[in-house]
Every structure is written in C-alpha cells, then in structure tokens.
Amino acid sequence: MSQRFTGIHAVLYALYQPDGRLWRDGMRQQVEHCLASGVDGIVVLGLATEVAKLTEAERRQVIDWAVEDVAGRTPLGVTIYGNSVIEQIELLGHAQGAGASWLILQPPVFGAYGAAETIRTFGSVADAARIPVAIQNAPALMGRGLTGADIATLVERHPVITHLKGEMPVLEVERIVAAGEGRLVVLNGQGGLEMMDNIRAGAEGFVLAPDVVDKAVLIWRAMQAGDEQLAEALYQQMLPASVFGMRSLEHLLVYGKRIFGLRTGLEIADRAPSLPTSEFGLVLAKRYADAFGAMPK
C-alpha cells in the first residue's frame, strides 16, 4: 500500500449521446485527450462523472471502459459510490477485479450521520480493499465531511487509507496536511482554485475535470521544476475559467463540459435533470475554450 498517486489526475466527465445514453466513443476519446495532456492518472465515477445519475450497471460499465481505454498507461482511480457498506463493497470488488490502481471512497449520499459513524463506514469499506484507498472529503459539494482530527483517526485505524481526495479551501488543506503528519497524500480538486497556494500548503496533486486539466499539468510541471514564476503566470491564465466552472457542481457539469467539448470537437449532450444553458453562458464557455485552444490529442 506504499504507492503514492501524486500529480494531476483527470476525472472523466460522463459523456452522453443525444438520447441520454452513455457515449462509448466519446468516453474513449476523452481518455486519449487526457493522456495526451500528460496527466499522472485518470479517475472515474467522481462527482464530475455524474455518478449519482448512472445506474449500477452503468457504473460498472464506465469502470470497464476506462480499464480498457487506459490500458495500463497511467494509474486508474475509481470512486466508490453507494448508500450502504454492502453496496460500496460490491462496487469496490468490481473495480479491483477489473484492474483499478486505487480507490476513492465517498460517504453515503443519503442520511445524516455523525463523524463516528462516518469513520466506521469508511473503515468497513476500506478494510475490504487490497489496493490503496483514498477518502473523499467534499463538505461544500456533498453536505458532509470530516475534520482533520477525524481523518487522522481514520488513517490511524485503517492503514489501507493512504490518500485524501478533497474539495476544500486551502486553509482546510493545510490543516489536514499538518494533521496527517506525512502519512496521507492529500489531493485537492475545486477546479484548480487556489492551486498555487494548495501546493505551498503541502497538497501533492489535484483531481480535476478535463476542461482545464492540460493547463493544470503545465502548472504542476513548472512547480516541480522550481519555476514558480512560470507556474504563477500559467495559473493566472487558467484561473478565470476555473472560477467560471466552479460556481456549483451543476454549473460545472453544463459549462465545464461544454468548454471541454469545444476544445476537443466532441458534441456535448446532457442527461436530465440538468441546468438549462443560457445564450450568454454558452458565449462565455466559447470564450474560455478559444483562449485555451484545442486540447492535445
């Protein structure tokens, strides 16, 4: 369990055909664009993959497609969704058997539970894993989360948990990094907001949707090379699109996905329910896509 999944990971969008069914070829092309961008890993079934809108069969299908498309070229992380320990362990087993490199555990969507029960739930699922495990801590997007002290307790009790995937402001990232005392790889998301300060706070990478992931790779590489001035300049170029995309999860799924579509030539369709687009919103999406240019392929 010593493998560390650091760097920039692309969490795939769920791409749909006009009739709302998953689009097989679009998902394959999405992986190729992300790999050509130089990402350090691919993740599926996260919030950007609209995991709650997928049927159980579709979740397994997305895992199988990703394993086939990535073909061992980069680590593959799978987010484990489910509203009970049993449901999550079943999906975990499928992901492990299919060839996932690591797992990201989400708290159940339904029900209001305290920290002690959340810790027990995460621990019960994690103990079924034979590969490294992360927990997702996204209180602003999911309505619940754990404190740094809670996470430290969880890691102490369940050594298989080696990573944390957050959607958190930078001050919370700094507290969790400190509480982890080096035992936890902390990856943040939030569309790359506060990316530079997250790195300074000790974040070891990011899990980001594909619309900005190639730009984030350049920023990360510049920081790893010690060129903070270049990284800061690149970040300032990416930031307006990140702010636009991260107004809400629903906003990202409509407009972030369209920025990605415009940058790749892939047609974007939505699965209901979804936010309606506005003419002005589409104008802004095109402006950001034009400013970034085509994604590598």
Side-chain angles (χ1 to χ4, degrees):
M1 300 298 178
S2 61
Q3 192 167 2
R4 299 170 70 85
F5 298 101
T6 60
I8 306 299
H9 300 254
V11 55
L12 300 186
Y13 285 124
L15 299 183
Y16 305 111
Q17 300 178 70
D19 63 3
R21 291 182 298 148
L22 284 171
W23 181 19
R24 175 67 184 106
D25 189 54
M27 296 296 287
R28 182 185 293 111
Q29 291 187 58
Q30 182 177 197
V31 168
E32 293 303 324
H33 282 292
C34 291
L35 292 177
S37 297
V39 296
D40 298 294
I42 300 287
V43 171
V44 294
L45 298 188
L47 297 175
T49 320
E50 296 174 86
V51 62
K53 287 186 183 180
L54 304 180
T55 67
E56 177 63 25
E58 286 176 325
R59 292 172 198 141
R60 294 178 181 235
Q61 184 70 84
V62 167
I63 293 170
D64 294 343
W65 285 349
V67 170
E68 178 183 342
D69 295 342
V70 172
R73 290 177 287 174
T74 198
L76 174 64
V78 175
T79 302
I80 302 302
Y81 175 92
N83 289 305
S84 70
V85 168
I86 289 176
E87 185 180 5
Q88 291 199 5
I89 288 176
E90 288 183 352
L91 187 60
L92 180 154
H94 182 83
Q96 285 190 150
S101 307
W102 59 300
L103 306 165
I104 304 169
L105 308 186
Q106 281 188 352
V109 175
F110 299 107
Y113 307 106
E117 182 61 23
T118 300
I119 288 171
R120 280 193 292 270
T121 297
F122 274 138
S124 296
V125 179
D127 286 346
R130 304 186 306 274
I131 56 178
V133 170
I135 59 168
Q136 182 156 4
N137 204 50
L141 294 179
M142 304 188 73
R144 68 203 69 198
L146 296 174
T147 66
D150 294 333
I151 292 166
T153 297
L154 186 59
V155 172
E156 182 69 29
R157 294 178 183 175
H158 305 277
V160 68
I161 299 173
T162 55
H163 293 62
L164 180 132
K165 194 278 176 182
E167 297 285 347
M168 303 173 294
V170 68
L171 295 182
E172 184 64 17
V173 169
E174 190 276 333
R175 284 191 288 268
I176 289 175
V177 168
E181 298 179 337
R183 295 172 295 175
L184 198 64
V185 175
V186 177
L187 309 171
N188 208 9
Q190 288 203 312
L193 296 178
E194 301 179 305
M195 184 174 179
M196 295 293 292
D197 286 336
N198 272 274
I199 297 171
R200 296 176 182 123
E204 295 188 62
F206 299 83
V207 181
L208 303 172
D211 46 295
V212 299
V213 76
D214 58 324
K215 304 305 177 185
V217 167
L218 296 177
I219 296 166
W220 180 258
R221 298 286 182 264
M223 285 296 281
Q224 296 303 296
D227 194 340
E228 189 169 340
Q229 183 175 359
L230 174 60
E232 189 67 58
L234 292 168
Y235 172 66
Q236 293 302 322
Q237 295 172 16
M238 185 184 84
L239 183 58
S242 293
V243 171
F244 175 70
M246 288 305 296
R247 288 304 180 184
S248 68
L249 176 60
E250 293 77 15
H251 187 93
L252 175 70
L253 295 174
V254 168
Y255 291 110
K257 196 183 290 188
R258 278 169 172 78
I259 292 173
F260 172 72
L262 289 165
R263 298 189 63 205
T264 58
L266 295 174
E267 293 293 330
I268 299 301
D270 301 310
R271 174 177 283 190
S274 67
L275 288 182
T277 58
S278 73
E279 183 176 347
F280 185 53
L282 294 174
V283 168
L284 294 181
K286 186 175 187 307
R287 188 178 77 192
Y288 291 124
D290 290 345
F292 282 164
M295 284 193 74
K297 184 174 182 180

